């Protein structure tokens, strides 16, 4: 080749090299600008504007815009170099479908492209050629449209250059989308009402939201970097350690409720749910503050196990430590413990005389004193009403329980200051020991209660240690109560009548109606055996009503059969029957329905009735007197009443207890006491009947002292109505 031609070719190569260098410099500058856009753009719109500027410098187009796909499938400019494109809507035509599919389109002459011809004239103005290219955003795909007023401006070189830049654009869009997603996540994370946190596999906080920080009283930054376990309640750390280990090993989900320390040193209950991601080495934790709910549940549980008046555990709360103690004793044969059942004697008197508020104050004071006597490890409970229980958790011998019971009796005998006055209360205590071979906790409490019942039967204000015979007696008593309930319907009850005679001539003037129970298997059951059971269970009320009705029928029969004898039938009224709210109305209605003359019926009432409520008792007595009934004080001298009651109440007479009458033969004191009663009654114009006369000596001495009437085996034993009728007829 000739030298000039060679030189020309060399110059052309140099020019092409310079041109390529220029192109590479432009691409490099575009790349740098793109990287800056990716790095410094605050949002997607800013990023799109930066990308459009870079592409304009790179491709040297006249005008351009980036279209975003809308929900309805149309296209709207996100960013534009010309105002005429702002707000315009481009219809989804096949051109854009091809571009979205990833195939760039260079239109050398837009006049030949149907999709361009379909757009509004103002959008086509000044445009001769156009380049269409997808910018590869994954979440929100977009299309770059470049225009130029010259036809055939865009060619394969522009497409090739733009495609080389596309990865950078795609990365920019992906980064923007990721940044937007993170910003949206952070916004949701921070504004969520749920407590949300991110912790590493090492257990340290990486990120916490406002709700979490606020729940624990911190700023969010103060928690970042802290070990989650350092904020936990010491009792919950092992649970949290186990949950974290499970998450980091099995990558499974985990849920638990734990206590986190608040900045002010109290604790908040959080219900946590966590999931681990091994590739990130992070655990995402969400939680809810359930302190109010947990505390409410704890209050409900406490209330379910405790007595609201005294704060002691109740029956349910007492049984659980009793069961634990029994299990320990069964495992270790050398261990022994005891259960005490404590009942306040005559507590009802305090309630009825001073009111229920005073009764409550007394129970609270007794609870405090019981706690002061027992040992620190013992359990004191209020089982209900005026009954307490004590679990003596460990004793060496039965004498230990007895000594504690003695201390309790001594301490509880001291007066309690209630409403400004001293109130004295005694207790009856039943004790049972674990070495009797118990299998159930309920059996121990039952037997302690049985021993307490025997303490009451023996006179109250004492303690009794349970033995097996008591259980048999209690079972027999329960069987007796069950059969007694059936006795009324089964017509097993009957009345026997013991005559009351005038001592001067042994003439029968009346009868005392006495209840008898003829058991189909046991025969005649002693009243001393079943009357106390009827009194305690309340059966005495329906039984007493039946007795009164039967006695009234018998009194009516005798009045009709022997009108000249003026025979009176005495009926015993129990205290529980007397204090029924409708007692007087019942007496009146029964006598009216049976058409019985009130003069033929007398009521015998013990002195204990007066002690219950003297004023109200006086009102009832006067109401009974208004009905025409006679009233006698039964077992006079054995009760607690004052002699002054004899002139304050409308009594017609009194009956001297048999213990005084039978003591007259050998005891001068009994003779003097009977004489004193007779003189007192004479001064008050009261009729006197001596009970339990069994010998002629007793009869003669009563006559010498001036006693007018008597009853007893000397004259006749109690007998059925038809036999008593024979006595009356022959008298």
């Amino acid at each position: 080749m000739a030298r000039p031609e060679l030189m020309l070719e060399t110059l052309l190569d140099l020019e092409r090299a310079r041109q390529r260098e220029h192109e590479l410099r432009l691409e490099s500058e575009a790349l740098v600008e793109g990287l800056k856009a990716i790095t410094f753009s605050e949002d997607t719109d800013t990023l799109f504007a930066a990308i459009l500027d870079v592409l304009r410098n790179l491709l040297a187009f006249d005008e351009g815009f980036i279209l975003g796909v809308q929900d309805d499938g149309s296209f709207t400019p996100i960013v534009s170099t010309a105002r005429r494109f702002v707000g315009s809507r481009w219809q989804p035509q096949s051109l854009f479908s091809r571009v979205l599919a990833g195939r760039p389109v260079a239109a050398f002459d837009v006049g030949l492209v149907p999709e361009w011809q379909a757009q509004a004239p103002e959008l086509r103005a000044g445009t001769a050629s156009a380049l269409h290219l997808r910018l590869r955003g994954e979440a929100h795909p977009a299309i770059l449209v470049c225009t130029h007023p010259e036809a055939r401006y865009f060619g394969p070189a522009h497409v090739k250059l733009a495609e080389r830049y596309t990865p950078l654009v795609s990365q920019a869009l992906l980064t923007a989308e990721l940044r937007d997603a993170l910003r949206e996540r952070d916004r949701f994370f921070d504004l969520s009402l749920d407590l949300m946190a991110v912790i590493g596999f090492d257990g340290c906080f990486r990120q916490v939201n406002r709700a979490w920080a606020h729940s624990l009283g911190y700023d969010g930054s103060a928690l970042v970097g802290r070990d989650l376990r350092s904020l936990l309640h010491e009792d919950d750390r092992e649970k949290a350690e186990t949950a974290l280990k499970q998450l980091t090993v099995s990558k499974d989900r985990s849920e638990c409720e734990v206590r986190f320390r608040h900045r002010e040193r109290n604790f908040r209950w959080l219900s946590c749910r966590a999931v681990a991601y091994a590739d990130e080495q992070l655990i995402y934790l969400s939680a809810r503050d359930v302190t109010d709910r947990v505390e409410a549940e704890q209050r409900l549980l406490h209330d379910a196990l405790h007595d609201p008046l005294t704060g002691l555990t109740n029956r349910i709360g007492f049984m659980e430590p009793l069961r634990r103690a029994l299990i320990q004793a069964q495992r270790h044969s050398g261990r022994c413990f005891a259960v005490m059942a404590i009942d306040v004697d005559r507590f009802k008197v305090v309630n009825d005389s001073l009111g229920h508020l005073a009764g409550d104050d007394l129970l609270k004071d007794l609870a405090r004193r019981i706690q002061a006597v027992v040992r620190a490890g013992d359990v004191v409970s209020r089982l209900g009403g005026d009954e307490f229980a004590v679990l003596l958790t460990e004793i060496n011998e039965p004498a230990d329980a007895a000594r504690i019971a003695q201390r309790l009796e001594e301490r509880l005998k001291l007066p309690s200051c209630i409403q400004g006055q001293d109130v004295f209360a005694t207790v009856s205590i039943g004790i049972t020991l674990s070495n009797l071979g118990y299998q159930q906790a309920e059996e121990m409490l039952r037997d302690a209660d049985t021993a307490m019942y025997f303490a009451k039967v023996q006179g109250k204000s004492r303690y009794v240690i349970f033995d097996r015979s008591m259980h048999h007696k209690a079972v027999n008593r329960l069987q007796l109560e069950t059969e007694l309930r059936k006795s009324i319907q089964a017509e097993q009850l009957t009345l026997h009548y013991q005559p009351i005679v005038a001592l001067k001539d042994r003439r029968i003037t009346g009868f005392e109606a006495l209840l008898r129970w003829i058991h189909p298997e046991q025969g005649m059951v002693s009243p001393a055996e079943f009357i106390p059971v009827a009194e305690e269970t309340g059966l005495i009320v329906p039984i007493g009503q039946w007795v009164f009705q039967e006695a009234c029928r018998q009194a009516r029969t005798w009045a009709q059969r022997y009108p000249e004898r003026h025979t009176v039938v005495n009926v015993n009224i129990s205290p529980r029957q007397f204090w029924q709210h409708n007692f007087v109305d019942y007496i009146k209605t029964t006598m009216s329905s049976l058409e019985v003359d009130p003069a033929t019926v007398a009521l015998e009432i013990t002195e204990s009735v007066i002690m219950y409520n003297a004023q109200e008792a006086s009102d009832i007595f006067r109401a009974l007197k208004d009905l025409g009934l006679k009233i006698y004080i039964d077992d006079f001298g054995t009760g607690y009443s004052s002699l002054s009651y004899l002139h304050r109440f409308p009594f017609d007479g009194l009956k001297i207890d048999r213990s005084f009458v039978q003591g007259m033969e050998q005891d001068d004191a009994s003779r003097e006491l009977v004489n004193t009663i007779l003189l007192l009654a004479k001064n008050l114009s009261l009729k006197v009947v001596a009970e339990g006369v069994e010998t002629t000596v007793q009869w003669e001495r009563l006559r010498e002292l001036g006693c007018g009437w008597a009853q007893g085996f000397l004259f006749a034993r109690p007998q059925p109505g038809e036999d008593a009728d024979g006595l009356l007829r022959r008298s």
Side-chain angles (χ1 to χ4, degrees):
M1 181 180 295
R3 183 175 295 275
E5 293 177 352
L6 180 60
M7 292 181 62
L8 180 60
E9 185 67 25
T10 301
L11 289 174
L12 289 174
D13 290 341
L14 290 173
E15 182 61 27
R16 283 193 294 270
R18 282 195 296 271
Q19 182 65 31
R20 180 58 183 161
E21 181 182 356
H22 176 68
E23 291 175 355
L24 291 174
R25 186 172 62 252
L26 290 178
E27 291 182 28
S28 177
E29 290 175 354
L31 181 61
V32 171
E33 292 300 323
L35 290 173
K36 288 181 179 179
I38 294 172
T39 303
F40 298 109
S41 296
E42 294 293 333
D43 51 51
T44 306
D45 291 343
T46 304
L47 177 62
F48 274 124
I51 290 174
L52 188 60
D53 287 341
V54 171
L55 289 173
R56 190 174 190 180
N57 292 333
L58 184 64
L59 301 176
F61 55 79
D62 180 51
E63 291 179 345
F65 50 90
I66 298 176
L67 291 172
V69 182
Q70 305 303 306
D71 293 337
D72 61 357
S74 62
F75 298 85
T76 301
I78 299 172
V79 62
S80 173
T81 60
R83 292 190 59 82
R84 65 192 178 100
F85 296 121
V86 177
S88 61
R89 296 184 72 83
W90 294 68
Q91 299 305 315
Q93 304 293 339
S94 58
L95 171 66
F96 304 112
S97 299
R98 294 197 304 274
V99 175
L100 284 176
R103 298 195 295 274
V105 175
F108 299 153
D109 185 352
V110 297
L112 301 177
V113 180
E115 287 83 358
W116 271 92
Q117 294 301 315
Q119 306 304 323
E122 62 271 16
L123 297 179
R124 292 185 282 110
T127 299
S129 60
L131 174 65
H132 311 83
L133 186 72
R134 170 176 172 149
L135 303 179
R136 296 187 179 278
E138 298 300 329
H140 304 288
I143 295 176
L144 170 68
V145 179
C146 309
T147 67
H148 200 276
E150 297 179 7
R152 303 183 66 81
Y153 176 78
F154 295 106
H158 290 88
V159 174
K160 186 175 181 181
L161 182 60
E163 285 182 333
R164 285 204 305 270
Y165 189 69
T166 297
L168 179 61
V169 173
S170 297
Q171 183 62 42
L173 290 175
L174 181 61
T175 301
E177 290 171 357
L178 180 59
R179 186 183 295 124
D180 287 345
L182 290 173
R183 187 179 294 111
E184 183 177 354
R185 189 210 67 177
D186 289 344
R187 187 180 300 115
F188 175 78
F189 185 84
D190 208 38
L191 294 179
S192 174
L193 296 177
D194 286 342
L195 283 61
M196 304 180 72
V198 180
I199 60 175
F201 274 18
D202 58 358
C204 294
F205 284 104
R206 298 290 192 269
Q207 186 179 5
V208 294
N209 69 345
R210 293 181 185 179
W212 188 295
H214 177 73
S215 178
L216 301 183
Y218 290 91
D219 293 330
S221 58
L223 291 177
V224 174
R226 290 194 62 172
D227 193 318
L228 172 144
R229 290 158 291 200
S230 67
L231 297 173
L232 290 172
H233 191 285
E234 59 183 9
D235 294 341
D236 296 335
R237 286 174 187 165
E238 183 177 353
K239 184 195 302 184
E241 287 277 5
T242 302
L244 286 174
K245 184 177 294 185
Q246 177 187 353
L247 282 168
T248 56
V249 173
S250 65
K251 315 301 184 295
D252 199 359
R253 297 176 182 269
S254 178
E255 297 182 15
C256 63
E257 286 188 358
V258 290
R259 285 161 288 182
F260 278 83
R261 182 182 293 106
H262 191 274
R263 188 176 184 179
E264 297 178 358
R265 308 304 295 177
N266 59 334
F267 285 88
R268 307 293 296 175
W269 280 94
L270 301 186
S271 178
C272 303
R273 179 178 297 175
V275 60
Y277 292 93
D279 54 343
E280 301 178 33
Q281 293 288 293
L282 294 176
I283 297 173
Y284 290 83
L285 188 64
S286 68
R288 290 194 176 182
D289 191 324
V290 293
T291 304
D292 292 342
R293 189 258 295 167
V294 172
E295 290 179 349
E297 290 175 350
Q298 291 174 341
R299 284 194 298 271
L300 288 173
L301 179 61
H302 179 275
D303 293 345
L305 300 178
H306 289 78
D307 168 45
L309 178 65
T310 62
L312 301 174
T313 55
N314 57 17
R315 183 179 294 271
I316 299 174
F318 181 74
M319 295 308 296
E320 185 56 34
L322 176 55
R323 291 189 183 99
R324 290 198 300 267
L326 187 57
I327 291 172
Q328 290 296 322
Q330 291 168 346
R331 291 175 179 172
H332 307 283
S333 58
R335 298 190 62 176
C336 182
F337 66 94
V339 174
M340 287 182 174
I342 305 172
D343 190 82
V344 184
D345 300 327
R346 301 176 65 247
F347 177 71
K348 194 172 187 302
V349 175
V350 178
N351 267 347
D352 293 337
S353 58
L354 299 180
H356 288 277
L357 291 179
D360 289 346
D361 290 341
L362 176 61
L363 291 174
K364 288 188 284 188
D365 184 57
L366 293 177
R368 286 191 292 267
R369 287 199 265 174
I370 293 173
Q371 287 180 297
V373 171
V374 301
R375 303 160 303 181
D378 298 332
V379 180
V380 182
S381 297
R382 181 188 177 211
L383 303 184
D386 59 343
E387 187 175 354
F388 296 87
V390 177
L391 171 62
L392 302 176
T393 53
E394 191 166 349
I395 59 175
N396 296 320
E397 56 182 356
D400 293 342
R403 282 190 288 269
I404 294 174
Q406 290 172 350
R407 290 202 301 269
L408 279 173
E409 287 184 339
E410 293 169 0
R411 181 67 65 89
L412 299 181
K413 281 180 180 178
L414 298 176
S416 299
C417 184
I418 305 298
Q419 297 181 354
Q421 69 182 66
D422 287 342
V423 175
F424 292 85
T426 60
V427 295
S428 299
I429 302 175
I431 305 171
T432 189
L433 305 172
S434 62
N435 57 12
L436 294 179
Y438 288 105
Q439 298 299 316
Q440 299 293 330
E442 291 78 7
E443 296 174 351
M444 286 199 71
L445 188 58
R446 176 202 66 195
D447 289 349
D449 197 63
T450 298
M452 182 269 292
Y453 166 76
F454 277 89
K456 282 190 172 294
V457 170
Q458 294 177 18
K460 303 182 176 65
S461 187
R462 66 190 64 216
Y463 71 87
V464 170
I465 297 178
F466 177 82
D467 62 58
R468 292 296 185 188
S469 65
M470 293 181 184
H471 177 66
H472 297 307
K473 292 177 182 178
V475 171
N476 293 336
R477 179 180 171 276
L478 178 61
Q479 183 178 358
L480 180 68
E481 176 188 338
T482 302
E483 294 178 350
L484 183 58
R485 291 181 183 276
K486 301 176 182 177
S487 65
I488 303 176
Q489 290 79 12
E491 298 183 352
Q492 298 171 6
L493 300 180
T494 186
L495 291 184
H496 284 194
Y497 298 88
Q498 185 173 39
I500 299 172
V501 303
L503 288 179
K504 61 180 179 180
D505 56 9
R506 298 183 69 159
R507 179 175 57 87
I508 296 176
T509 61
F511 291 88
E512 180 180 356
L514 298 170
L515 180 63
R516 296 292 183 264
W517 178 14
I518 304 176
H519 193 278
E521 298 175 0
Q522 302 177 24
M524 187 75 73
V525 181
S526 169
E529 187 176 350
F530 74 84
I531 291 295
V533 175
E535 287 277 5
E536 184 178 343
T537 59
L539 287 173
I540 196 66
V541 174
I543 290 176
Q545 292 174 348
W546 178 87
V547 168
F548 185 73
Q549 293 170 11
E550 291 300 308
C552 284
R553 290 190 180 96
Q554 187 63 69
R556 182 188 61 192
T557 299
W558 282 333
Q560 293 172 351
R561 187 172 298 171
Y562 311 107
E564 74 286 353
R565 301 299 298 269
H566 305 294
T567 305
V568 177
V569 177
N570 288 19
V571 184
N572 290 284
I573 302 297
S574 78
R576 295 191 70 157
Q577 187 180 3
F578 181 87
W579 287 112
Q580 290 292 302
H581 70 280
N582 61 344
F583 175 65
V584 175
D585 291 337
Y586 169 76
I587 296 295
K588 180 180 179 180
T589 301
T590 301
M591 295 179 64
S592 175
S593 64
L594 296 177
E595 299 180 349
V596 63
D597 183 358
T600 63
V601 179
L603 305 181
E604 294 188 11
I605 298 171
T606 60
E607 293 174 277
S608 60
V609 167
I610 302 171
M611 289 297 297
Y612 184 79
N613 188 324
Q615 183 56 52
E616 188 174 350
S618 177
D619 295 339
I620 295 174
F621 286 143
R622 296 190 186 283
L624 294 172
K625 290 294 293 182
D626 290 342
L627 296 178
L629 293 166
K630 292 181 174 60
I631 302 174
Y632 286 80
I633 290 293
D634 195 16
D635 301 331
F636 185 78
T638 61
Y640 303 97
S641 65
S642 168
L643 294 177
S644 63
Y645 288 146
L646 289 178
H647 70 83
R648 289 177 53 189
F649 295 98
F651 299 133
D652 294 282
L654 54 87
K655 301 184 75 173
I656 302 176
D657 187 70
R658 63 187 298 117
S659 61
F660 302 135
V661 173
Q662 294 178 356
M664 287 177 20
E665 292 189 53
Q666 300 175 348
D667 187 358
D668 291 338
S670 295
R671 176 184 173 88
E672 289 301 322
L673 182 58
V674 171
N675 186 43
T676 300
I677 294 173
L678 290 169
L679 291 174
L680 179 64
K682 181 179 180 180
N683 291 332
L684 295 175
S685 301
L686 297 176
K687 180 179 177 179
V688 178
V689 179
E691 296 181 303
V693 180
E694 297 182 355
T695 67
T696 304
V697 174
Q698 295 168 4
W699 172 37
E700 290 176 349
R701 290 189 177 178
L702 286 169
R703 287 183 61 190
E704 292 171 0
L705 294 175
C707 181
W709 293 268
Q711 66 184 89
F713 291 172
L714 178 64
F715 310 110
R717 291 178 176 273
Q719 47 198 282
E722 55 271 20
D723 296 340
D725 184 270
L727 287 176
L728 188 60
R729 186 173 61 253
R730 295 191 299 271
S731 173

